[in-house]
Amino acid sequence: MNLPLLFSQLINGLQTGSIYALVALGYSMVYGIILLLNFAHGEVIMVGAFALFYGLTLYGLHPLLASVLAVLASTVMGLLIQRIAYRPLLSAPRLSLLITAIGMSFLLQNGAQIAFGADAKSVDPLISGSLHIGSTNISYAALLTLAVSLISMLALTLLVSRTKHGKAMRAVSEDMGVAQLMGINVNRTIGFTFAVGSALAGIGAVLYVASYPQISPTMGSMMGLKAFVAAVLGGIGSIPGAMIGGLVIGMVEVLASAVGLSNWKDAVVFAILILVLLFKPSGIMGVTQREKV
């Protein structure tokens, strides 16, 4: 593989991995707070993508305004899922929450097929053109994806580490009961966590459509599963781990395609999940937790 092609593949891997990382952050944040694998998170991406599509086509909005609409739609959908499906079950066994999450995923997928049709919809490229560096072309969409993902991750890190809401999130993740005794509104903190994670999913939806301008009711399913693999690889519940895991999965996909395994790249990703669960279940940045009995 020559150097320009290698550099191009590296950019592609970082572009795809950045999107996975944004989505994986939502998984990790929710799991860190209430130990829930929110399998409806992929459908939050799908809702944001359709909001972007109709904002562009039906209302003729500027791409920036349509992108804001997509992030808002994802945030509202995440909050509705949390309020309707998860909050009543906070004191129920974790298995009940998990089954509810899977049920919400199928409900939203099938509801979207009824509302929007089962066929895929194409959109005009949000960003066209590319930057020429020697014999290598880097699309502006890839550069925007990398920049927005980096800014979003830095903003989330500052939010969690430096703000009052972030301190409340960390306290609830450590011990929900003690946090409540200390005067923290647990329900509000959980809702805020869902809102932030869903907003990141909405940003991921916009960046995905900018890179791959096609939308379907089932688009969030595979993306959500791969982001889940990224979260597990990085260490479920770890924000830095989700970022690293997403970038690693993106690079693995691109490398698999580069060596002629493009038809098997999904299998390679899930093989990584199996290997991680077998040899290092806590992930790259995760910490093995001991539970007192």
Side-chain angles (χ1 to χ4, degrees), residues 137-183:
N137 295 330
I138 304 174
S139 68
Y140 289 132
L143 293 174
L144 179 67
T145 298
L146 294 175
V148 172
S149 298
L150 181 60
I151 293 170
S152 300
M153 293 173 190
L154 288 174
L156 177 63
T157 302
L158 291 174
L159 172 68
V160 173
S161 61
R162 301 291 180 86
T163 67
K164 182 178 179 181
H165 287 298
K167 291 177 182 178
M169 289 164 61
R170 284 184 284 142
V172 172
S173 69
E174 286 289 332
D175 193 312
M176 190 179 297
V178 172
Q180 198 164 15
L181 291 174
M182 296 297 292

Side-chain angles (χ1 to χ4, degrees), residues 41 43-49 51 68-81 194-195 197-206:
H41 196 59
E43 279 56 56
V44 174
I45 304 167
M46 177 267 295
V47 169
V68 172
L69 176 64
V71 175
L72 288 175
S74 292
T75 304
V76 171
M77 178 55 65
L79 286 172
L80 286 174
I81 292 172
F194 269 85
S198 300
L200 291 172
I203 295 172
V206 173

Side-chain angles (χ1 to χ4, degrees), residues 1 9 52 85 97 99 146 150 162 164 183 242 251 254 284:
M1 183 181 295
Q9 293 290 352
L52 176 67
L97 276 168
I99 294 172
L146 294 175
L150 181 60
R162 301 291 180 86
K164 182 178 179 181
M251 293 302 301
V254 168
I284 296 172

Side-chain angles (χ1 to χ4, degrees), residues 14-256:
L14 290 175
Q15 178 184 8
T16 305
S18 297
I19 297 172
Y20 290 151
L22 286 175
V23 181
L25 285 169
Y27 276 107
S28 285
M29 290 174 65
V30 171
Y31 184 84
I33 292 288
I34 59 174
L35 300 179
L36 166 66
L37 297 174
N38 181 20
F39 284 115
H41 196 59
E43 279 56 56
V44 174
I45 304 167
M46 177 267 295
V47 169
F50 270 102
L52 176 67
F53 172 76
Y54 284 110
L56 292 170
T57 58
L58 189 61
Y59 299 106
L61 298 178
H62 186 276
L64 184 59
L65 291 177
S67 299
V68 172
L69 176 64
V71 175
L72 288 175
S74 292
T75 304
V76 171
M77 178 55 65
L79 286 172
L80 286 174
I81 292 172
Q82 184 267 335
R83 182 66 182 86
I84 296 171
Y86 299 150
R87 183 184 288 189
L89 297 174
L90 280 181
S91 58
R94 298 298 96 181
L95 182 60
S96 299
L97 276 168
L98 180 62
I99 294 172
T100 301
I102 295 172
M104 283 301 302
S105 174
F106 284 113
L107 175 65
L108 291 172
Q109 272 190 43
N110 287 278
Q113 291 185 36
I114 294 171
F116 309 128
D119 58 315
K121 295 173 173 58
S122 298
V123 296
D124 294 329
L126 297 181
I127 304 170
S128 57
S130 59
L131 178 67
H132 303 283
I133 302 177
S135 58
T136 303
N137 295 330
I138 304 174
S139 68
Y140 289 132
L143 293 174
L144 179 67
T145 298
L146 294 175
V148 172
S149 298
L150 181 60
I151 293 170
S152 300
M153 293 173 190
L154 288 174
L156 177 63
T157 302
L158 291 174
L159 172 68
V160 173
S161 61
R162 301 291 180 86
T163 67
K164 182 178 179 181
H165 287 298
K167 291 177 182 178
M169 289 164 61
R170 284 184 284 142
V172 172
S173 69
E174 286 289 332
D175 193 312
M176 190 179 297
V178 172
Q180 198 164 15
L181 291 174
M182 296 297 292
I184 295 174
N185 189 321
V186 171
N187 285 329
R188 186 181 300 168
T189 301
I190 293 172
F192 180 76
T193 303
F194 269 85
V196 173
S198 300
L200 291 172
I203 295 172
V206 173
L207 296 177
Y208 180 86
V209 174
S211 303
Y212 314 101
Q214 194 174 59
I215 300 166
S216 72
T218 58
M219 62 174 289
S221 179
M222 185 55 70
M223 193 193 311
L225 286 175
K226 289 181 180 178
F228 168 67
V229 174
V232 172
L233 174 61
I236 191 76
S238 168
I239 290 176
M243 299 177 192
I244 294 172
L247 294 174
V248 170
I249 293 300
M251 293 302 301
V252 166
E253 276 198 358
V254 168
L255 290 175

